[in-house]
């Protein structure tokens, strides 16, 4: 059965800290890995990763994929209170078109 | 439209009642997905439409759940004889996907929070 596991489950940091969120996956016929940020209800798209070792970056956020070890990390530098959210990781199989999500990491950034 | 929209944003119903949840995908997106998210969990896949047809309904939990997309745009998720365990946020997503190959990004709507009393 396809599975995605995220760690830690929750994290509390102070503004300015750097955080690393982890995602490991076991998916038959893996195609891509996606990161979403969820505030309130709608998950908003952050990154899609398909190739190992190529860092994707957007402002203070970056992410990388390791297809040999089957994991991805999401880094946030110089955290701000607006980064407080649930960060969801999802794996997309080659066939099936459905995303398999982890349970998420709850990040709280204190001012 | 600018993004995926869902109505209602909140729905409270009594056990045994019938509910319909609506999703309006991004204009031009051929693929539409329904997910269900329980408290403290990630979204779980329910059903995927490519155009008007349900290409994969393997995630529907039982025959009380049904979804349609008659004109290949708006979709309605229908739940009969609701149970307290159906309480969750129901998320809809859409994507440009034209076929089974190639990567594709799913964009989510704000969801409908369903509470069954």
């Amino acid at each position: 059965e396809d599975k995605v596991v995220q760690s830690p489950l929750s994290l509390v940091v102070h503004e300015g800290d750097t955080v690393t969120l982890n995602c490991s996956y076991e998916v038959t016929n893996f195609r891509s890995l996606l990161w979403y940020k969820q505030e309130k209800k709608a998950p908003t798209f952050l990154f899609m990763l398909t190739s190992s070792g190529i860092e994707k970056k957007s402002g203070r956020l970056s992410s990388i994929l390791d297809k040999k070890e089957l994991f991805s990390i999401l880094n946030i530098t110089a955290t701000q209170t607006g980064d407080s959210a649930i960060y969801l990781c999802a794996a997309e199989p080659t066939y099936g078109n459905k995303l398999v999500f982890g349970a998420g990491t709850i990040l709280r950034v204190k001012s | 439209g600018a993004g995926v929209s869902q109505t209602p944003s909140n729905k409270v119903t009594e056990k045994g009642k019938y509910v319909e949840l609506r999703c309006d995908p991004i204009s031009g997106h051929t693929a539409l997905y329904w997910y269900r998210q329980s408290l403290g969990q990630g979204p779980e896949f329910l059903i995927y439409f490519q155009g008007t047809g349900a290409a994969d309904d393997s995630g529907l939990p039982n025959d009380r759940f049904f979804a349609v997309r008659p004109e290949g745009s708006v979709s309605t998720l229908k739940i009969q004889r609701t149970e307290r365990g159906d309480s969750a946020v129901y998320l809809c997503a859409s994507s440009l996907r034209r076929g089974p190959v190639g990567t594709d990004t799913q964009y989510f709507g704000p969801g409908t929070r369903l509470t069954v009393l």
Side-chain angles (χ1 to χ4, degrees), chain A residues 4-7 21-25 33-37 49 65 71-74 86-92 99-105, chain B residues 42-43:
Chain A
V4 174
V5 177
Q6 293 186 243
S7 63
L21 310 182
N22 304 293
C23 174
S24 64
Y25 62 92
L33 188 131
L34 297 92
W35 285 95
Y36 288 86
K37 177 182 181 182
L49 303 155
L65 176 67
F71 79 89
S72 174
I73 61 172
L74 175 69
I86 299 172
Y87 289 84
L88 294 165
C89 169
E92 183 187 25
L99 297 178
V100 180
F101 280 89
T105 292

Side-chain angles (χ1 to χ4, degrees), chain A residues 6 34-47 84-90 99-105, chain B residues 2-6 26 33-38 41-45 89-94 105-113:
Chain A
Q6 293 186 243
L34 297 92
W35 285 95
Y36 288 86
K37 177 182 181 182
Q38 187 173 30
E39 299 169 276
K40 297 181 182 178
K41 285 193 283 189
T44 53
F45 172 74
L46 295 175
F47 298 111
S84 297
I86 299 172
Y87 289 84
L88 294 165
C89 169
L99 297 178
V100 180
F101 280 89
T105 292
Chain B
V4 178
S5 62
Q6 293 185 244
I26 293 171
Y33 312 79
W34 284 98
Y35 291 83
R36 177 168 71 172
Q37 187 173 24
S38 301
Q41 301 296 319
E44 291 179 298
F45 171 79
V89 174
Y90 288 81
L91 293 165
C92 176
S94 71
T105 301
Q106 295 182 25
Y107 297 92
F108 284 81
T112 294
R113 183 178 300 279

Side-chain angles (χ1 to χ4, degrees), chain B residues 6-11 13 17-23 34 66 68 75-80 82 90 112 114:
Chain B
Q6 293 185 244
T7 54
S9 56
N10 287 283
K11 175 72 178 177
T13 192
K17 299 288 188 183
Y18 167 83
V19 296
E20 290 190 350
L21 312 179
R22 177 190 166 106
C23 172
W34 284 98
F66 189 71
V68 295
S75 175
T76 304
L77 178 66
K78 307 180 181 194
I79 311 174
Q80 298 178 317
T82 51
Y90 288 81
T112 294
L114 175 66

Side-chain angles (χ1 to χ4, degrees), chain A residues 12-27:
Chain A
V12 180
V13 300
H14 288 94
E15 271 192 314
D17 288 351
T18 293
V19 298
T20 298
L21 310 182
N22 304 293
C23 174
S24 64
Y25 62 92
E26 294 176 28
V27 171

Side-chain angles (χ1 to χ4, degrees), chain A residues 16 30 53 61 68 78 90:
Chain A
F30 172 84
L61 277 66
K68 183 179 175 187

